[in-house]
Amino acid sequence: MKSVGIDAIEIWTGNLELDLAETFAPAMGEDPGKYTKGLGLLRSSFPDAYEDIVTMGANAAHRLMERKGLEPDDIGRIDVATESAFDNSKPVSTYIAGCLEEVLDGDFHHANKGERKFACVAGTQSVDDAYNWIRAGRNRGRSALVVATDTALYARGDPGEATQGAGAVAMLVSEDPDLVELSAEQGYGSADETDFLKPNQQFPSVDGKRSVQVYLARMREALEDFESVAGAIHPDDFELIPFHTPFPGMVRKAALLGFRHAIRDTEIEDELAAEIGRQPRREEVESDEAYLDAIKEYTDKLKDTQAYLDWYEDTIEPTLAIAREVGNWYTGSVHVARASGLWQLAKEGHDLTGKRLLVGSYGSGAQAEIHAETIQPGWREEIEALEIESRLEDRYSLTFEEYEHVHDVHNHDKETEAEEFTTPDSEFAFDGWGRMGERKYRYVE
Ligand code: COA
C-alpha cells in the first residue's frame, strides 16, 4: 500500500498580536486568569490592514514551495479550507495560485483547485481529499497543496472575542512523506447541530456553551467509530494527541474524557482502583441519571491522579504551546496543534521516528474526525525549518485602542481608513479592489 501523508508544513501568523492578560482583560474589566488559566490563552494573532486569508495562505504556501524547492508543475491540486471566504463563487485557491504565479516560474493551469467548507474540520477534510486523490493514483506523481487559512474574528463583546486568531497553515500532501504518514483508518462523529454558524454574515452566531458540549459529543462518537475499525486505543499508543484547539481549555475537557475512555478495562484502571475506585458501569446502577452522576464523580477524581497528570503533560500539553500564543485559527487549528507538539518534542531532543499520533479534528455544525499518523524519519528537519519562535516574536503588539481599530478595519460592514502597524517585507500584501469587486494582491520585496 502506498505511504501517503504530510510531507511538509508551513505556518504563517498574522503580523499583529493582542496580549490577553495585559491589554484585553483590563479593558474588558475581567480577571486575566479567565483567559490565561480558564481558556488557556496568552495572546491572539491578528492580520494587519494589508493581510487577509489570501495573503496569509499565499505566504505560507510560498515559503513551503521555496523551502522544498518545488515548481508549479510539481503540484496537481490546490485546496483551500476556510470559513472566512469573501466570495460565494470564486475560490480562494485561485487567488493564492495567482499570487504564487507572480513570484514562481511557471503556472498552475493544470492543477485542480477548490475550496472546502465545514467549519474548522475542513482543513482535515482537504488533507483527506488529497490523500484519496493520491491513493487513487490520479496524481501523476504530483503533490497536493492544502492551505487552511482563516481570520477567526467574532463580533465585539461576543464571549468568543477572547479566542480570536488569524493565520494560515500550508501543507504538502505527497507519496512517501517526510513528516507523517496518515492511517487509512478513520472515525467520524457527525450530526446536524446549531452551535456555531455564519448564515451569510462575517461574524459567527455562537452558542458557546453548547458548542463545547457538541465538540465533546461528536469527538466521543468519532473515537468509538475509529476504534471500530482500528481496534481499542490505549493511552500509551500515542506520543502526542493533537486536537482541534479553539482554546486550550477546550482540549483540557476533551483529553480528560478521552483518557477515561481509553483506560477502561486496562491495567491503568486496575492500578488506579485503590486510589479512586473503578469506573462505574451502566449495568451496575439503576438509572441513566445515576450513571451520569457516578461517571462525573469518577472523572473529577481521575483528573487529579498522577497517572492522568503525567499523561496530559507528555501527550497533550506540547500540542497547546502555539495555540496559547495565537488563539483560534479555525481550519488551521488542529494542524497548528500537530506542529506545536512535534516542535516541543524536537526541542526536548526526543526521537519520534516510527512513533504515532492520534489526531482529533472538529468543525461546528458539527463533525469530528479521528485518525492516526506515523511520524517519518524526516520529521525533525521539517519541524526545525519552521522557525516558529522568531515568527511569533516578530509580531507587533497592539494597544487596546489599536486592537479596536484593527477589528474595525477587517469588519466588512465598516468603512475605516486603514492604519498599518507593520510594513510588508518579502510577502504578499492586499493591493486594493479591481473593477469587478475582486481583490488584488502584490508581492512586496
Ligand atoms: N481564573 C481561572 N479560571 C477562570 C477565571 C479566573 N479568574 N474566570 C473564569 N475561569 C474559567 C471558567 O471556570 C471556565 O472554565 P471551565 O469551562 O473549565 O469551567 C473558563 O474559564 C471560561 O469561562 P466562562 O465563564 O465559561 O467563559 P465565557 O462564558 O466568557 O466563554 C466560551 C467561554 C467557550 C463559551 C467562549 O469563549 C466562546 O463562545 N467561544 C467560541 C466558541 C468556541 O470556541 N467553542 C468551542 C468548540 S469549537
Side-chain angles (χ1 to χ4, degrees):
M1 199 156 73
K2 269 185 208 170
S3 165
V4 179
I6 302 173
D7 192 53
I9 182 163
E10 270 293 344
I11 290 177
W12 183 278
T13 169
N15 285 335
L16 308 176
E17 67 171 35
L18 177 69
D19 190 301
L20 292 172
E22 301 269 319
T23 311
F24 188 69
M28 302 302 282
E30 292 277 5
D31 179 340
K34 173 170 176 179
Y35 306 118
T36 56
K37 297 197 179 74
L39 297 176
L41 291 167
L42 303 177
R43 274 165 280 275
S44 317
S45 280
F46 287 94
D48 207 335
Y50 58 86
E51 293 186 284
D52 66 12
I53 51 173
V54 172
T55 64
M56 295 187 298
N59 286 323
H62 182 212
R63 258 188 201 156
L64 185 147
M65 291 197 59
E66 293 273 275
R67 180 159 69 72
K68 297 296 275 188
L70 295 168
E71 294 172 1
D73 279 350
D74 298 318
I75 304 296
R77 264 183 100 98
I78 305 179
D79 288 308
V80 170
T82 186
E83 44 188 308
S84 322
F86 47 77
D87 193 308
N88 288 323
S89 177
K90 184 176 155 64
V92 171
S93 49
T94 57
Y95 280 102
I96 290 182
C99 287
L100 296 175
E101 285 169 354
E102 275 184 46
V103 294
L104 299 174
D105 290 333
D107 61 55
F108 296 95
H109 287 204
H110 302 298
N112 184 13
K113 307 181 188 88
E115 191 172 299
R116 257 287 191 176
K117 176 178 72 183
F118 195 150
C120 305
V121 77
T124 296
Q125 290 182 315
S126 299
V127 171
D128 222 34
D129 291 341
Y131 174 94
N132 294 334
W133 171 71
I134 297 173
R135 287 290 297 275
R138 304 178 92 176
N139 60 318
R140 301 187 232 155
R142 298 174 297 173
S143 299
L145 183 60
V146 170
V147 182
T149 180
D150 272 300
T151 43
L153 297 185
Y154 290 76
R156 297 291 315 282
D158 188 289
E161 190 179 2
T163 70
Q164 296 175 124
V169 180
M171 289 168 279
L172 190 72
V173 180
S174 307
E175 207 170 323
D176 297 326
D178 280 344
L179 190 62
V180 290
E181 179 192 324
L182 307 189
S183 67
E185 295 82 12
Q186 291 176 290
Y188 287 101
S190 190
D192 178 12
E193 299 276 7
T194 309
D195 55 333
F196 172 113
L197 55 159
K198 295 182 179 180
N200 285 325
Q201 63 196 42
Q202 184 189 7
F203 301 131
S205 300
V206 195
D207 184 341
K209 304 283 181 215
R210 172 132 187 83
S211 75
V212 169
Q213 293 314 314
V214 174
Y215 179 120
L216 297 174
R218 303 285 78 83
M219 200 62 88
R220 179 201 171 92
E221 253 174 22
L223 183 56
E224 286 169 354
D225 194 40
F226 177 75
E227 288 186 309
S228 75
V229 283
I233 63 160
H234 184 284
D236 297 343
D237 290 347
F238 302 102
E239 212 62 16
L240 292 166
I241 306 189
F243 278 102
H244 167 54
T245 312
F247 52 94
M250 180 71 244
V251 173
R252 199 168 54 219
K253 294 180 204 289
L256 179 59
L257 300 194
F259 186 76
R260 188 189 73 206
H261 175 92
I263 64 169
R264 209 169 239 248
D265 297 322
T266 68
E267 77 293 353
I268 303 178
E269 184 185 20
D270 297 342
E271 284 158 18
L272 286 172
E275 193 183 336
I276 59 170
R278 292 182 64 76
Q279 294 198 24
R281 268 57 176 181
R282 174 64 189 87
E283 59 278 9
E284 292 164 4
V285 288
E286 275 173 14
S287 64
D288 287 346
E289 207 183 1
Y291 177 61
L292 286 179
D293 287 347
I295 273 280
K296 187 172 178 319
E297 195 182 321
Y298 178 86
T299 311
D300 280 347
K301 290 187 204 151
L302 179 65
K303 99 173 173 302
D304 297 326
T305 62
Q306 205 52 48
Y308 173 69
L309 293 172
D310 289 347
W311 172 82
Y312 187 91
E313 188 63 26
D314 293 345
T315 315
I316 305 292
E317 192 59 39
T319 69
L320 305 175
I322 302 179
R324 287 192 202 293
E325 294 292 330
V326 303
N328 190 359
W329 286 8
Y330 287 165
T331 54
S333 156
V334 66
H335 307 289
V336 166
R338 178 200 295 105
S340 174
L342 294 173
W343 170 52
Q344 293 294 300
L345 297 199
K347 278 206 297 192
E348 291 170 17
H350 291 252
D351 179 9
L352 298 182
T353 302
K355 301 272 171 63
R356 299 177 77 215
L357 311 178
L358 189 70
V359 181
S361 304
Y362 172 76
S364 288
Q367 181 160 301
E369 189 266 5
I370 289 183
H371 67 266
E373 298 180 354
T374 307
I375 301 169
Q376 300 299 298
W379 75 277
R380 181 184 295 279
E381 204 181 314
E382 275 307 313
I383 287 299
E384 285 175 351
L386 279 178
E387 297 167 6
I388 294 167
E389 251 145 0
S390 60
R391 285 171 197 173
L392 295 175
E393 277 166 16
D394 285 349
R395 291 174 297 175
Y396 174 89
S397 189
L398 295 164
T399 64
F400 191 76
E401 291 69 31
E402 289 169 341
Y403 157 66
E404 292 186 298
H405 173 77
V406 167
H407 201 285
D408 282 351
V409 166
H410 291 285
N411 183 337
H412 299 169
D413 294 333
K414 288 199 174 174
E415 288 278 336
T416 307
E417 183 136 353
E419 184 185 344
E420 293 176 2
F421 299 99
T422 59
T423 309
D425 177 15
S426 307
E427 64 193 270
F428 296 100
F430 175 67
D431 197 25
W433 305 90
R435 86 189 154 86
M436 289 174 72
E438 76 276 23
R439 293 186 187 212
K440 293 181 151 320
Y441 299 94
R442 77 196 147 96
Y443 188 76
V444 182
E445 296 287 348

